[in-house]
Amino acid sequence: MTTASAPGKVYLFGEHAVVYGEPAVPCAISRRARVTVERRGDSRLHVHAEDLSLDGFTVEYSGEADATPDVDVSTDLVEAAMGYVDAAVSQAREAAGVPEAGFDVTVESAIPLGAGLGSSAAVVVAGIDAATRELGVELSTTEIADRAYRAEYDVQEGQASRADTFCSATGGAVRVEGEDCRAIDAPDLPFVIGFDGGAGNTGELVAGVRELREHYSFAANTVETVGDIVRQGERALAAGDLAELGTLMDFNHGLLSALGVSSRSLDRMVWAARDAGAHGAKLTGAGGGGCIVALDETEETETALRFTPGCEEGFRAELDAEGVRVE
Ligand code: MEV
């Protein structure tokens, strides 16, 4: 039996634009997905998943990947999670050269599904590491990141960048621009996260931005401007200038909103954070619902989020320097 874990992430800057080759800066956070795998005597895949949301309900999903789960939770979300487990196992089988390997898989995650915190990337990264080790093969972090990207790419039908998976594999703050992915230095970042209890459909949201970009030249310019914000943000990060980072996060949120990927509850949480004195706030990830990230070293934003209509959870998250690891 082998267990591996990998962190979730927030986007300091650059989601969506990264799909079109602009740079992005995701940062790993101290919430992890743990995947335990045990080789079976046959070639079947049994998946059991727990705590797939912040409110800690248990999802019992023991059976084949196409079985209907008996759970009180959106089956779309659970099915999506199972798709990622399936894709991770396929990558592990291929990497280890054991195409018929079957596994019992247990997923435990403190990262809400589809909410912009990189839950799928963390599950895929941890799943590939655990399953390859179970088959006696140890992959480099770079290969885990690459295979995890390919798994997400397959599940999301080609609508994925390397950002989420690379960040989850390596941990810390990273810079991603096309195929070029690397770790960057970052000061302590006082992240506060607001979660509306919902989720967005990444594939649909990415497709929506693509349509806008193809239809309106100013939408294409908006995507490029997000790239400019990221480049400016990298300088602020290197200087440890939280006030400037906050201003740029606010700007980035405005542009994401213009690209149609914010929502009423995300906007409400962003404004609650700003009103509470945060340096800045923006949605994180694909949007449509899910999480915002704010920068605030005081308790004010966390408290304000708890009283914001539509916000289910407000919590602090540390930058996690550690990526995928064996447990
Ligand atoms: C989703 O977490 C981030 C997007 O930029 C898509 C991607 O980079 O794969 C929206």
Side-chain angles (χ1 to χ4, degrees):
M1 187 187 292
T2 312
T3 301
S5 77
K9 60 103 222 338
V10 292
Y11 272 91
L12 195 53
F13 305 112
E15 55 273 88
H16 284 287
V18 70
V19 174
Y20 306 99
E22 298 296 338
V25 177
C27 299
I29 54 165
S30 48
R31 277 194 181 246
R32 293 190 157 249
R34 281 164 54 96
V35 179
T36 300
V37 300
E38 184 162 22
R39 179 104 191 244
R40 293 170 55 92
D42 57 25
S43 61
R44 293 157 72 107
L45 182 61
H46 277 212
V47 183
H48 173 87
E50 295 184 355
D51 293 339
L52 291 177
S53 161
L54 284 180
D55 47 11
F57 56 73
T58 297
V59 177
E60 285 290 339
Y61 188 92
S62 301
E64 295 307 304
D66 60 354
T68 306
D70 178 20
V71 291
D72 180 23
V73 58
S74 157
T75 50
D76 282 358
L77 280 180
V78 176
E79 273 163 25
M82 295 314 130
Y84 287 108
V85 172
D86 229 358
V89 166
S90 297
Q91 286 295 330
R93 285 171 172 151
E94 188 186 285
V98 191
E100 80 293 349
F103 297 99
D104 287 322
V105 180
T106 301
V107 180
E108 300 157 273
S109 177
I111 312 166
L113 289 177
L117 298 185
S119 56
S120 58
V123 166
V124 170
V125 165
I128 290 174
D129 194 28
T132 45
R133 284 176 189 273
E134 182 74 359
L135 294 173
V137 172
E138 199 174 320
L139 301 181
S140 67
T141 308
T142 318
E143 184 164 0
I144 294 171
D146 187 52
R147 288 193 171 274
Y149 161 67
R150 284 194 257 156
E152 277 216 328
Y153 188 90
D154 287 347
V155 178
Q156 290 167 203
E157 296 170 351
Q159 319 241 40
S161 72
R162 293 179 178 271
D164 292 25
T165 39
F166 183 79
C167 184
S168 185
T170 60
V174 306
R175 180 191 199 275
V176 175
E177 185 169 7
E179 306 250 312
D180 177 29
C181 306
R182 53 196 153 87
I184 55 174
D185 289 336
D188 270 352
L189 293 168
F191 291 131
V192 182
I193 292 168
F195 175 42
D196 69 4
N201 180 320
T202 301
E204 280 173 18
L205 289 153
V206 172
V209 172
R210 186 179 302 278
E211 263 169 46
L212 278 180
R213 198 173 155 271
E214 280 164 8
H215 200 74
Y216 299 110
S217 60
F218 48 80
N221 295 341
T222 303
V223 168
E224 279 178 28
T225 306
V226 171
D228 294 337
I229 291 177
V230 181
R231 284 179 277 273
Q232 182 99 8
E234 284 176 71
R235 292 192 279 279
L237 203 54
D241 187 342
L242 294 186
E244 174 76 349
L245 285 172
T247 302
L248 296 169
M249 287 168 77
D250 285 342
F251 216 121
N252 195 163
H253 181 77
L255 297 184
L256 287 166
S257 203
L259 291 170
V261 298
S262 192
S263 71
R264 216 174 278 270
S265 56
L266 293 173
D267 285 344
R268 264 199 219 112
M269 293 190 288
V270 160
W271 276 106
R274 290 174 184 164
D275 289 345
H279 294 291
K282 61 182 279 298
L283 68 82
T284 171
C291 292
I292 63 122
V293 57
L295 280 187
D296 186 3
E297 54 279 82
T298 75
E299 304 291 307
E300 300 297 317
T301 296
E302 227 178 314
T303 309
L305 284 172
R306 294 210 175 106
F307 293 101
T308 302
C311 176
E312 246 184 39
E313 300 265 349
F315 57 93
R316 191 164 281 289
E318 307 298 323
L319 182 68
D320 192 342
E322 206 176 358
V324 63
R325 67 173 183 232
V326 185
E327 295 284 328

